[in-house]
Amino acid sequence: MKSLKFKTLIFALVILLASCKKSSEPEVVIDPNAKKIVTLKTGEIITGVYKNTVLNVPEGTFTLKGYVYFEDGSEINVAAGAIIKSDITDKGALIIERGAKINAIGTATKPIVFTSGKAVGERNPGDWGGIVILGKSTTNRTTEPTIEGGVGKNYGGTVAADNSGTLKYVRIEFAGIAAQLNSEINGLTLGGVGSGTTIEYVQVIYGNDDAFEIFGGTVNAKYLVAFATADDDFDFDFGYTGRIQFGVALRDPSFIDAGDAGNGVECDNDATGTTATPLTRPVLSNFTFIGPNVDNTASKNHNFANRFRRSTNFVLNNSVLMGWMKGGLSLESDGTYNSLVGATTTSEFKNNLLHANTAQYRIGSVTVAGATGDAVKAKAEASATLTLATTAEVKINDPFNLKAPNLLPAAGSPALTGAAFAGDLTNSHFTATTYRGAFGTTDWMAGWTSFNFTKGANGY
């Protein structure tokens, strides 16, 4: 009996000591809102929906499978030298939703490449979707717009300085899915992206629709290259009011969208030409627009260097436009025409070099009394723009070479001088230059861009 009582006492003491020990240890609290951090290994697949996740993509090769969404609060970080290829059967698209971020930061010697999953010689425009970034910045829509391309996500808001991350030294190759008629994913689609976002040194190659399409927002950019685009190189809509400096459009005469005319710039306030505010008004400087410079059957749908259409305003200064077969500067609504040639003068086309084989200056559906292409020309030339009769007069070294273009001005080129930075161009985003066009004496495309693509029986 005593033995039983003793054993019972010992057991009670053990329980008591264990209880005391537990109470002295700090309580571990798991934060239900903590982000999940995932670091991939080369060869792994990026797919599905990422919620409250930070995905780190190191240098290596990875597969993008299907429409991949990063939701509000999530983030994808891509290291220099990473290559992300689309799945062949389940075509990929990378969608950064409002409140999410992408940080894809390459270098001139180690760019980040988003491309087709097919082998070299079999790749084609439209092999995958592209990159879509959505932000909380302003648009001129009265209700939240939904981004095109079958993505099904809203964009826009009131946060002009919204930050969706950084793209730097990035190539986007063989993108462009047409989800349905007039609803495509472009090479890089930006919807309501804010000025806190950094976009610099980005090249879109053989895009099956637009290279860069911007719906609303206030995002600024520098050093953009559109090479061999099927539709428009730069497309602005829905109240975009950002600033872009140093841009290139280089067309492949043999590649064009058979159903839609392709332009260096296409710009609208909206699809029906309302005067909803903020009015679309991109502020652009130091662009070089190189047209196909041939007039054959394959190039028939290459259109105008600049097409400012429905009720839009714009600034395009210090730029070179050459080699366009159907037209140079085209103004295509009363509001657009009046903003440049009329009394409002809210648009600018100054200090440019312009060549086109026909219709150097033209008007579309303009009913303003006395409106003519010659009136547009007079306005442009009064604003220090030179109208040139031949491409040789521009004196760019090798502008129509699709394998190794040299877009620097040659000795004696009028592009080496004549730039001016006043008004909107005094903003700190702009770097003042003496030269017109995207280049002076330094080729900032060297090292990270790619041009040497040969079309075979099965693709590039």
Side-chain angles (χ1 to χ4, degrees), residues 265-302:
V265 166
E266 184 172 276
C267 187
D268 299 276
N269 197 45
D270 57 29
T272 58
T274 75
T275 55
T277 57
L279 285 172
T280 301
R281 188 176 183 267
V283 180
L284 314 174
S285 182
N286 296 96
F287 274 64
T288 297
F289 299 97
I290 307 296
N293 201 43
V294 295
D295 190 13
N296 56 32
T297 301
S299 68
K300 287 297 184 186
N301 241 15
H302 288 281

PDB file of all heavy atoms in Angstrom, residues 265-302:
ATOM      1  N   VAL A 265       3.188  53.954 -83.927  1.00  0.00           N
ATOM      2  CA  VAL A 265       2.349  54.346 -82.796  1.00  0.00           C
ATOM      3  C   VAL A 265       0.898  54.314 -83.237  1.00  0.00           C
ATOM      4  O   VAL A 265       0.558  54.816 -84.313  1.00  0.00           O
ATOM      5  CB  VAL A 265       2.694  55.760 -82.283  1.00  0.00           C
ATOM      6  CG1 VAL A 265       1.608  56.287 -81.351  1.00  0.00           C
ATOM      7  CG2 VAL A 265       4.030  55.779 -81.557  1.00  0.00           C
ATOM      8  N   GLU A 266       0.054  53.728 -82.411  1.00  0.00           N
ATOM      9  CA  GLU A 266      -1.395  53.886 -82.554  1.00  0.00           C
ATOM     10  C   GLU A 266      -1.911  54.405 -81.217  1.00  0.00           C
ATOM     11  O   GLU A 266      -1.562  53.876 -80.164  1.00  0.00           O
ATOM     12  CB  GLU A 266      -2.071  52.569 -82.912  1.00  0.00           C
ATOM     13  CG  GLU A 266      -3.567  52.714 -83.158  1.00  0.00           C
ATOM     14  CD  GLU A 266      -4.190  51.447 -83.707  1.00  0.00           C
ATOM     15  OE1 GLU A 266      -4.120  51.247 -84.939  1.00  0.00           O
ATOM     16  OE2 GLU A 266      -4.726  50.659 -82.911  1.00  0.00           O
ATOM     17  N   CYS A 267      -2.742  55.436 -81.259  1.00  0.00           N
ATOM     18  CA  CYS A 267      -3.113  56.115 -80.022  1.00  0.00           C
ATOM     19  C   CYS A 267      -4.556  56.600 -80.099  1.00  0.00           C
ATOM     20  O   CYS A 267      -4.951  57.248 -81.059  1.00  0.00           O
ATOM     21  CB  CYS A 267      -2.159  57.289 -79.797  1.00  0.00           C
ATOM     22  SG  CYS A 267      -2.345  58.121 -78.215  1.00  0.00           S
ATOM     23  N   ASP A 268      -5.341  56.276 -79.060  1.00  0.00           N
ATOM     24  CA  ASP A 268      -6.744  56.690 -78.964  1.00  0.00           C
ATOM     25  C   ASP A 268      -7.051  57.145 -77.545  1.00  0.00           C
ATOM     26  O   ASP A 268      -6.414  56.690 -76.586  1.00  0.00           O
ATOM     27  CB  ASP A 268      -7.678  55.518 -79.274  1.00  0.00           C
ATOM     28  CG  ASP A 268      -7.497  54.962 -80.667  1.00  0.00           C
ATOM     29  OD1 ASP A 268      -8.077  55.514 -81.594  1.00  0.00           O
ATOM     30  OD2 ASP A 268      -6.756  53.965 -80.823  1.00  0.00           O
ATOM     31  N   ASN A 269      -8.080  58.001 -77.424  1.00  0.00           N
ATOM     32  CA  ASN A 269      -8.583  58.271 -76.077  1.00  0.00           C
ATOM     33  C   ASN A 269      -9.393  57.078 -75.587  1.00  0.00           C
ATOM     34  O   ASN A 269      -9.250  56.648 -74.450  1.00  0.00           O
ATOM     35  CB  ASN A 269      -9.424  59.539 -76.034  1.00  0.00           C
ATOM     36  CG  ASN A 269      -9.581  60.043 -74.612  1.00  0.00           C
ATOM     37  OD1 ASN A 269      -8.606  60.091 -73.868  1.00  0.00           O
ATOM     38  ND2 ASN A 269     -10.800  60.369 -74.209  1.00  0.00           N
ATOM     39  N   ASP A 270     -10.229  56.549 -76.443  1.00  0.00           N
ATOM     40  CA  ASP A 270     -10.912  55.280 -76.213  1.00  0.00           C
ATOM     41  C   ASP A 270     -11.468  54.795 -77.551  1.00  0.00           C
ATOM     42  O   ASP A 270     -11.280  55.450 -78.586  1.00  0.00           O
ATOM     43  CB  ASP A 270     -12.015  55.391 -75.144  1.00  0.00           C
ATOM     44  CG  ASP A 270     -13.087  56.432 -75.452  1.00  0.00           C
ATOM     45  OD1 ASP A 270     -13.349  56.705 -76.646  1.00  0.00           O
ATOM     46  OD2 ASP A 270     -13.678  56.970 -74.504  1.00  0.00           O
ATOM     47  N   ALA A 271     -12.134  53.660 -77.532  1.00  0.00           N
ATOM     48  CA  ALA A 271     -12.540  53.021 -78.782  1.00  0.00           C
ATOM     49  C   ALA A 271     -13.589  53.800 -79.554  1.00  0.00           C
ATOM     50  O   ALA A 271     -13.708  53.641 -80.776  1.00  0.00           O
ATOM     51  CB  ALA A 271     -13.049  51.613 -78.494  1.00  0.00           C
ATOM     52  N   THR A 272     -14.357  54.652 -78.868  1.00  0.00           N
ATOM     53  CA  THR A 272     -15.414  55.398 -79.554  1.00  0.00           C
ATOM     54  C   THR A 272     -15.101  56.878 -79.701  1.00  0.00           C
ATOM     55  O   THR A 272     -15.915  57.638 -80.223  1.00  0.00           O
ATOM     56  CB  THR A 272     -16.759  55.228 -78.820  1.00  0.00           C
ATOM     57  OG1 THR A 272     -16.620  55.674 -77.462  1.00  0.00           O
ATOM     58  CG2 THR A 272     -17.194  53.763 -78.823  1.00  0.00           C
ATOM     59  N   GLY A 273     -13.938  57.307 -79.244  1.00  0.00           N
ATOM     60  CA  GLY A 273     -13.537  58.692 -79.433  1.00  0.00           C
ATOM     61  C   GLY A 273     -14.217  59.689 -78.524  1.00  0.00           C
ATOM     62  O   GLY A 273     -14.394  60.859 -78.886  1.00  0.00           O
ATOM     63  N   THR A 274     -14.582  59.274 -77.310  1.00  0.00           N
ATOM     64  CA  THR A 274     -15.150  60.231 -76.359  1.00  0.00           C
ATOM     65  C   THR A 274     -14.037  61.145 -75.839  1.00  0.00           C
ATOM     66  O   THR A 274     -12.852  60.917 -76.074  1.00  0.00           O
ATOM     67  CB  THR A 274     -15.801  59.504 -75.166  1.00  0.00           C
ATOM     68  OG1 THR A 274     -14.766  59.004 -74.290  1.00  0.00           O
ATOM     69  CG2 THR A 274     -16.699  58.368 -75.624  1.00  0.00           C
ATOM     70  N   THR A 275     -14.453  62.155 -75.103  1.00  0.00           N
ATOM     71  CA  THR A 275     -13.487  63.065 -74.478  1.00  0.00           C
ATOM     72  C   THR A 275     -13.369  62.787 -72.980  1.00  0.00           C
ATOM     73  O   THR A 275     -13.103  63.682 -72.180  1.00  0.00           O
ATOM     74  CB  THR A 275     -13.882  64.525 -74.718  1.00  0.00           C
ATOM     75  OG1 THR A 275     -15.225  64.732 -74.244  1.00  0.00           O
ATOM     76  CG2 THR A 275     -13.796  64.880 -76.188  1.00  0.00           C
ATOM     77  N   ALA A 276     -13.566  61.527 -72.606  1.00  0.00           N
ATOM     78  CA  ALA A 276     -13.424  61.133 -71.201  1.00  0.00           C
ATOM     79  C   ALA A 276     -12.029  61.498 -70.700  1.00  0.00           C
ATOM     80  O   ALA A 276     -11.047  61.401 -71.425  1.00  0.00           O
ATOM     81  CB  ALA A 276     -13.668  59.637 -71.062  1.00  0.00           C
ATOM     82  N   THR A 277     -11.980  61.935 -69.452  1.00  0.00           N
ATOM     83  CA  THR A 277     -10.707  62.360 -68.863  1.00  0.00           C
ATOM     84  C   THR A 277     -10.220  61.338 -67.835  1.00  0.00           C
ATOM     85  O   THR A 277     -11.020  60.641 -67.216  1.00  0.00           O
ATOM     86  CB  THR A 277     -10.853  63.742 -68.211  1.00  0.00           C
ATOM     87  OG1 THR A 277     -11.893  63.678 -67.236  1.00  0.00           O
ATOM     88  CG2 THR A 277     -11.190  64.791 -69.239  1.00  0.00           C
ATOM     89  N   PRO A 278      -8.908  61.281 -67.631  1.00  0.00           N
ATOM     90  CA  PRO A 278      -7.883  62.058 -68.326  1.00  0.00           C
ATOM     91  C   PRO A 278      -7.766  61.642 -69.790  1.00  0.00           C
ATOM     92  O   PRO A 278      -7.837  60.451 -70.110  1.00  0.00           O
ATOM     93  CB  PRO A 278      -6.597  61.734 -67.575  1.00  0.00           C
ATOM     94  CG  PRO A 278      -6.846  60.377 -66.983  1.00  0.00           C
ATOM     95  CD  PRO A 278      -8.298  60.344 -66.643  1.00  0.00           C
ATOM     96  N   LEU A 279      -7.578  62.639 -70.655  1.00  0.00           N
ATOM     97  CA  LEU A 279      -7.356  62.350 -72.060  1.00  0.00           C
ATOM     98  C   LEU A 279      -6.044  61.583 -72.231  1.00  0.00           C
ATOM     99  O   LEU A 279      -5.051  61.877 -71.555  1.00  0.00           O
ATOM    100  CB  LEU A 279      -7.283  63.639 -72.873  1.00  0.00           C
ATOM    101  CG  LEU A 279      -8.579  64.389 -73.154  1.00  0.00           C
ATOM    102  CD1 LEU A 279      -8.262  65.729 -73.806  1.00  0.00           C
ATOM    103  CD2 LEU A 279      -9.504  63.563 -74.050  1.00  0.00           C
ATOM    104  N   THR A 280      -6.057  60.628 -73.108  1.00  0.00           N
ATOM    105  CA  THR A 280      -4.803  59.955 -73.453  1.00  0.00           C
ATOM    106  C   THR A 280      -3.821  60.996 -73.990  1.00  0.00           C
ATOM    107  O   THR A 280      -4.132  61.736 -74.910  1.00  0.00           O
ATOM    108  CB  THR A 280      -5.044  58.885 -74.519  1.00  0.00           C
ATOM    109  OG1 THR A 280      -5.995  57.938 -74.026  1.00  0.00           O
ATOM    110  CG2 THR A 280      -3.754  58.163 -74.876  1.00  0.00           C
ATOM    111  N   ARG A 281      -2.650  61.051 -73.386  1.00  0.00           N
ATOM    112  CA  ARG A 281      -1.636  62.022 -73.805  1.00  0.00           C
ATOM    113  C   ARG A 281      -0.245  61.489 -73.458  1.00  0.00           C
ATOM    114  O   ARG A 281       0.368  61.903 -72.474  1.00  0.00           O
ATOM    115  CB  ARG A 281      -1.857  63.381 -73.141  1.00  0.00           C
ATOM    116  CG  ARG A 281      -0.943  64.499 -73.696  1.00  0.00           C
ATOM    117  CD  ARG A 281      -1.307  65.843 -73.055  1.00  0.00           C
ATOM    118  NE  ARG A 281      -0.526  66.939 -73.593  1.00  0.00           N
ATOM    119  CZ  ARG A 281       0.636  67.394 -73.060  1.00  0.00           C
ATOM    120  NH1 ARG A 281       1.134  66.813 -71.972  1.00  0.00           N
ATOM    121  NH2 ARG A 281       1.271  68.403 -73.618  1.00  0.00           N
ATOM    122  N   PRO A 282       0.271  60.558 -74.247  1.00  0.00           N
ATOM    123  CA  PRO A 282       1.646  60.106 -74.014  1.00  0.00           C
ATOM    124  C   PRO A 282       2.632  61.221 -74.324  1.00  0.00           C
ATOM    125  O   PRO A 282       2.437  61.984 -75.277  1.00  0.00           O
ATOM    126  CB  PRO A 282       1.804  58.951 -74.999  1.00  0.00           C
ATOM    127  CG  PRO A 282       0.840  59.264 -76.098  1.00  0.00           C
ATOM    128  CD  PRO A 282      -0.330  59.935 -75.433  1.00  0.00           C
ATOM    129  N   VAL A 283       3.663  61.324 -73.520  1.00  0.00           N
ATOM    130  CA  VAL A 283       4.719  62.304 -73.746  1.00  0.00           C
ATOM    131  C   VAL A 283       5.972  61.528 -74.134  1.00  0.00           C
ATOM    132  O   VAL A 283       6.569  60.824 -73.321  1.00  0.00           O
ATOM    133  CB  VAL A 283       4.959  63.164 -72.495  1.00  0.00           C
ATOM    134  CG1 VAL A 283       6.064  64.187 -72.756  1.00  0.00           C
ATOM    135  CG2 VAL A 283       3.666  63.876 -72.083  1.00  0.00           C
ATOM    136  N   LEU A 284       6.363  61.651 -75.407  1.00  0.00           N
ATOM    137  CA  LEU A 284       7.401  60.808 -75.994  1.00  0.00           C
ATOM    138  C   LEU A 284       8.535  61.662 -76.532  1.00  0.00           C
ATOM    139  O   LEU A 284       8.305  62.698 -77.148  1.00  0.00           O
ATOM    140  CB  LEU A 284       6.814  59.972 -77.138  1.00  0.00           C
ATOM    141  CG  LEU A 284       5.472  59.278 -76.881  1.00  0.00           C
ATOM    142  CD1 LEU A 284       4.961  58.624 -78.146  1.00  0.00           C
ATOM    143  CD2 LEU A 284       5.595  58.268 -75.753  1.00  0.00           C
ATOM    144  N   SER A 285       9.754  61.195 -76.338  1.00  0.00           N
ATOM    145  CA  SER A 285      10.916  61.891 -76.884  1.00  0.00           C
ATOM    146  C   SER A 285      11.982  60.878 -77.260  1.00  0.00           C
ATOM    147  O   SER A 285      12.107  59.821 -76.632  1.00  0.00           O
ATOM    148  CB  SER A 285      11.479  62.882 -75.856  1.00  0.00           C
ATOM    149  OG  SER A 285      12.582  63.599 -76.392  1.00  0.00           O
ATOM    150  N   ASN A 286      12.744  61.212 -78.296  1.00  0.00           N
ATOM    151  CA  ASN A 286      13.892  60.408 -78.730  1.00  0.00           C
ATOM    152  C   ASN A 286      13.491  58.991 -79.144  1.00  0.00           C
ATOM    153  O   ASN A 286      13.999  57.993 -78.632  1.00  0.00           O
ATOM    154  CB  ASN A 286      14.965  60.368 -77.646  1.00  0.00           C
ATOM    155  CG  ASN A 286      15.556  61.728 -77.364  1.00  0.00           C
ATOM    156  OD1 ASN A 286      15.140  62.419 -76.436  1.00  0.00           O
ATOM    157  ND2 ASN A 286      16.523  62.127 -78.191  1.00  0.00           N
ATOM    158  N   PHE A 287      12.571  58.924 -80.086  1.00  0.00           N
ATOM    159  CA  PHE A 287      12.183  57.649 -80.696  1.00  0.00           C
ATOM    160  C   PHE A 287      12.789  57.554 -82.095  1.00  0.00           C
ATOM    161  O   PHE A 287      12.979  58.564 -82.774  1.00  0.00           O
ATOM    162  CB  PHE A 287      10.665  57.541 -80.811  1.00  0.00           C
ATOM    163  CG  PHE A 287       9.984  57.011 -79.571  1.00  0.00           C
ATOM    164  CD1 PHE A 287      10.028  57.719 -78.369  1.00  0.00           C
ATOM    165  CD2 PHE A 287       9.298  55.815 -79.603  1.00  0.00           C
ATOM    166  CE1 PHE A 287       9.411  57.238 -77.233  1.00  0.00           C
ATOM    167  CE2 PHE A 287       8.671  55.321 -78.472  1.00  0.00           C
ATOM    168  CZ  PHE A 287       8.726  56.027 -77.282  1.00  0.00           C
ATOM    169  N   THR A 288      13.067  56.333 -82.522  1.00  0.00           N
ATOM    170  CA  THR A 288      13.462  56.060 -83.893  1.00  0.00           C
ATOM    171  C   THR A 288      12.505  55.020 -84.462  1.00  0.00           C
ATOM    172  O   THR A 288      12.481  53.877 -83.984  1.00  0.00           O
ATOM    173  CB  THR A 288      14.907  55.544 -83.972  1.00  0.00           C
ATOM    174  OG1 THR A 288      15.805  56.572 -83.498  1.00  0.00           O
ATOM    175  CG2 THR A 288      15.281  55.189 -85.401  1.00  0.00           C
ATOM    176  N   PHE A 289      11.705  55.433 -85.436  1.00  0.00           N
ATOM    177  CA  PHE A 289      10.714  54.561 -86.066  1.00  0.00           C
ATOM    178  C   PHE A 289      11.215  54.187 -87.459  1.00  0.00           C
ATOM    179  O   PHE A 289      11.261  55.036 -88.349  1.00  0.00           O
ATOM    180  CB  PHE A 289       9.367  55.273 -86.196  1.00  0.00           C
ATOM    181  CG  PHE A 289       8.742  55.688 -84.895  1.00  0.00           C
ATOM    182  CD1 PHE A 289       8.878  56.988 -84.412  1.00  0.00           C
ATOM    183  CD2 PHE A 289       7.981  54.788 -84.158  1.00  0.00           C
ATOM    184  CE1 PHE A 289       8.283  57.380 -83.225  1.00  0.00           C
ATOM    185  CE2 PHE A 289       7.381  55.171 -82.965  1.00  0.00           C
ATOM    186  CZ  PHE A 289       7.528  56.468 -82.495  1.00  0.00           C
ATOM    187  N   ILE A 290      11.575  52.921 -87.643  1.00  0.00           N
ATOM    188  CA  ILE A 290      12.090  52.455 -88.936  1.00  0.00           C
ATOM    189  C   ILE A 290      11.019  51.593 -89.605  1.00  0.00           C
ATOM    190  O   ILE A 290      10.702  50.490 -89.142  1.00  0.00           O
ATOM    191  CB  ILE A 290      13.379  51.634 -88.769  1.00  0.00           C
ATOM    192  CG1 ILE A 290      14.418  52.414 -87.943  1.00  0.00           C
ATOM    193  CG2 ILE A 290      13.931  51.248 -90.131  1.00  0.00           C
ATOM    194  CD1 ILE A 290      14.898  53.694 -88.588  1.00  0.00           C
ATOM    195  N   GLY A 291      10.459  52.090 -90.706  1.00  0.00           N
ATOM    196  CA  GLY A 291       9.437  51.358 -91.429  1.00  0.00           C
ATOM    197  C   GLY A 291      10.030  50.274 -92.310  1.00  0.00           C
ATOM    198  O   GLY A 291      11.256  50.093 -92.376  1.00  0.00           O
ATOM    199  N   PRO A 292       9.191  49.544 -93.051  1.00  0.00           N
ATOM    200  CA  PRO A 292       9.683  48.419 -93.874  1.00  0.00           C
ATOM    201  C   PRO A 292      10.512  48.856 -95.068  1.00  0.00           C
ATOM    202  O   PRO A 292      11.331  48.085 -95.564  1.00  0.00           O
ATOM    203  CB  PRO A 292       8.390  47.726 -94.315  1.00  0.00           C
ATOM    204  CG  PRO A 292       7.346  48.791 -94.259  1.00  0.00           C
ATOM    205  CD  PRO A 292       7.718  49.666 -93.096  1.00  0.00           C
ATOM    206  N   ASN A 293      10.266  50.056 -95.576  1.00  0.00           N
ATOM    207  CA  ASN A 293      11.034  50.649 -96.672  1.00  0.00           C
ATOM    208  C   ASN A 293      10.963  49.849 -97.972  1.00  0.00           C
ATOM    209  O   ASN A 293      11.813  49.997 -98.837  1.00  0.00           O
ATOM    210  CB  ASN A 293      12.502  50.845 -96.284  1.00  0.00           C
ATOM    211  CG  ASN A 293      13.186  51.883 -97.162  1.00  0.00           C
ATOM    212  OD1 ASN A 293      12.613  52.932 -97.450  1.00  0.00           O
ATOM    213  ND2 ASN A 293      14.403  51.601 -97.582  1.00  0.00           N
ATOM    214  N   VAL A 294       9.989  48.969 -98.091  1.00  0.00           N
ATOM    215  CA  VAL A 294       9.746  48.276 -99.355  1.00  0.00           C
ATOM    216  C   VAL A 294       8.249  48.246 -99.588  1.00  0.00           C
ATOM    217  O   VAL A 294       7.456  48.300 -98.654  1.00  0.00           O
ATOM    218  CB  VAL A 294      10.299  46.835 -99.368  1.00  0.00           C
ATOM    219  CG1 VAL A 294      11.805  46.817 -99.259  1.00  0.00           C
ATOM    220  CG2 VAL A 294       9.670  45.998 -98.270  1.00  0.00           C
ATOM    221  N   ASP A 295       7.849  48.178-100.824  1.00  0.00           N
ATOM    222  CA  ASP A 295       6.436  48.149-101.157  1.00  0.00           C
ATOM    223  C   ASP A 295       6.176  46.892-101.985  1.00  0.00           C
ATOM    224  O   ASP A 295       6.243  46.903-103.209  1.00  0.00           O
ATOM    225  CB  ASP A 295       6.057  49.409-101.951  1.00  0.00           C
ATOM    226  CG  ASP A 295       4.551  49.545-102.119  1.00  0.00           C
ATOM    227  OD1 ASP A 295       3.820  48.818-101.424  1.00  0.00           O
ATOM    228  OD2 ASP A 295       4.119  50.367-102.938  1.00  0.00           O
ATOM    229  N   ASN A 296       5.952  45.783-101.293  1.00  0.00           N
ATOM    230  CA  ASN A 296       5.654  44.534-101.981  1.00  0.00           C
ATOM    231  C   ASN A 296       4.432  43.880-101.346  1.00  0.00           C
ATOM    232  O   ASN A 296       3.869  44.383-100.375  1.00  0.00           O
ATOM    233  CB  ASN A 296       6.860  43.584-101.949  1.00  0.00           C
ATOM    234  CG  ASN A 296       7.330  43.303-100.531  1.00  0.00           C
ATOM    235  OD1 ASN A 296       6.538  43.276 -99.604  1.00  0.00           O
ATOM    236  ND2 ASN A 296       8.622  43.102-100.362  1.00  0.00           N
ATOM    237  N   THR A 297       4.028  42.773-101.864  1.00  0.00           N
ATOM    238  CA  THR A 297       2.806  42.127-101.392  1.00  0.00           C
ATOM    239  C   THR A 297       2.884  41.790 -99.917  1.00  0.00           C
ATOM    240  O   THR A 297       1.928  41.979 -99.168  1.00  0.00           O
ATOM    241  CB  THR A 297       2.535  40.848-102.207  1.00  0.00           C
ATOM    242  OG1 THR A 297       2.415  41.209-103.578  1.00  0.00           O
ATOM    243  CG2 THR A 297       1.266  40.165-101.745  1.00  0.00           C
ATOM    244  N   ALA A 298       4.047  41.294 -99.485  1.00  0.00           N
ATOM    245  CA  ALA A 298       4.198  40.880 -98.087  1.00  0.00           C
ATOM    246  C   ALA A 298       4.069  42.041 -97.121  1.00  0.00           C
ATOM    247  O   ALA A 298       3.670  41.866 -95.973  1.00  0.00           O
ATOM    248  CB  ALA A 298       5.546  40.190 -97.897  1.00  0.00           C
ATOM    249  N   SER A 299       4.386  43.248 -97.569  1.00  0.00           N
ATOM    250  CA  SER A 299       4.421  44.391 -96.646  1.00  0.00           C
ATOM    251  C   SER A 299       3.192  45.282 -96.739  1.00  0.00           C
ATOM    252  O   SER A 299       3.163  46.347 -96.142  1.00  0.00           O
ATOM    253  CB  SER A 299       5.668  45.230 -96.928  1.00  0.00           C
ATOM    254  OG  SER A 299       5.573  45.861 -98.192  1.00  0.00           O
ATOM    255  N   LYS A 300       2.161  44.864 -97.461  1.00  0.00           N
ATOM    256  CA  LYS A 300       1.036  45.756 -97.738  1.00  0.00           C
ATOM    257  C   LYS A 300       0.348  46.276 -96.485  1.00  0.00           C
ATOM    258  O   LYS A 300      -0.195  47.377 -96.487  1.00  0.00           O
ATOM    259  CB  LYS A 300       0.006  45.046 -98.624  1.00  0.00           C
ATOM    260  CG  LYS A 300       0.458  44.876-100.081  1.00  0.00           C
ATOM    261  CD  LYS A 300       0.665  46.208-100.761  1.00  0.00           C
ATOM    262  CE  LYS A 300       1.021  46.025-102.233  1.00  0.00           C
ATOM    263  NZ  LYS A 300       1.374  47.307-102.878  1.00  0.00           N
ATOM    264  N   ASN A 301       0.318  45.504 -95.399  1.00  0.00           N
ATOM    265  CA  ASN A 301      -0.410  45.944 -94.214  1.00  0.00           C
ATOM    266  C   ASN A 301       0.435  46.750 -93.235  1.00  0.00           C
ATOM    267  O   ASN A 301      -0.051  47.137 -92.178  1.00  0.00           O
ATOM    268  CB  ASN A 301      -1.046  44.745 -93.491  1.00  0.00           C
ATOM    269  CG  ASN A 301      -2.563  44.864 -93.441  1.00  0.00           C
ATOM    270  OD1 ASN A 301      -3.157  45.655 -94.161  1.00  0.00           O
ATOM    271  ND2 ASN A 301      -3.188  44.088 -92.586  1.00  0.00           N
ATOM    272  N   HIS A 302       1.704  46.993 -93.565  1.00  0.00           N
ATOM    273  CA  HIS A 302       2.476  47.958 -92.776  1.00  0.00           C
ATOM    274  C   HIS A 302       1.894  49.340 -93.056  1.00  0.00           C
ATOM    275  O   HIS A 302       1.709  49.719 -94.211  1.00  0.00           O
ATOM    276  CB  HIS A 302       3.954  47.907 -93.164  1.00  0.00           C
ATOM    277  CG  HIS A 302       4.655  46.674 -92.698  1.00  0.00           C
ATOM    278  ND1 HIS A 302       5.096  46.502 -91.411  1.00  0.00           N
ATOM    279  CD2 HIS A 302       4.991  45.534 -93.361  1.00  0.00           C
ATOM    280  CE1 HIS A 302       5.683  45.326 -91.295  1.00  0.00           C
ATOM    281  NE2 HIS A 302       5.628  44.712 -92.463  1.00  0.00           N
TER     282      HIS A 302
END
